[in-house]
Amino acid sequence: MVNLWDYANDLPTVVICKKAGTVIQGKTICIWDSEETEDAEDSIALDLTDGGVESVYQSEIASIERI
């Protein structure tokens, strides 16, 4: 499983390949801690390069790469 906290300090631009087969790219806005959001798991929020904002749960990520 991907450790989202590796991306928390410098908030890089990343490409995420989801397990469902979709690919998204954008600037990391923040990492959400599951204990703070009362969700079942941590998630990453991106400002997408093609517009919009998307949050992705850790378990949905097949791979993540800094660009």
Side-chain angles (χ1 to χ4, degrees):
M1 185 176 294
V2 175
N3 182 1
L4 296 179
W5 293 100
D6 291 341
Y7 304 89
N9 291 329
D10 60 352
L11 301 176
T13 300
V14 296
V15 174
I16 294 176
C17 297
K18 295 182 182 180
K19 290 179 180 176
T22 56
V23 177
I24 60 171
Q25 178 177 323
K27 174 82 173 143
T28 303
I29 298 171
C30 67
I31 306 299
W32 294 107
D33 186 286
S34 62
E35 292 178 12
E36 292 177 4
T37 60
E38 297 182 7
D39 283 328
E41 59 186 295
D42 297 342
S43 61
I44 185 171
L46 299 180
D47 182 7
L48 302 176
T49 55
D50 61 354
V53 174
E54 185 170 343
S55 291
V56 182
Y57 287 110
Q58 193 169 15
S59 65
E60 296 175 308
I61 300 173
S63 66
I64 185 170
E65 179 183 349
R66 292 173 193 266
I67 55 170

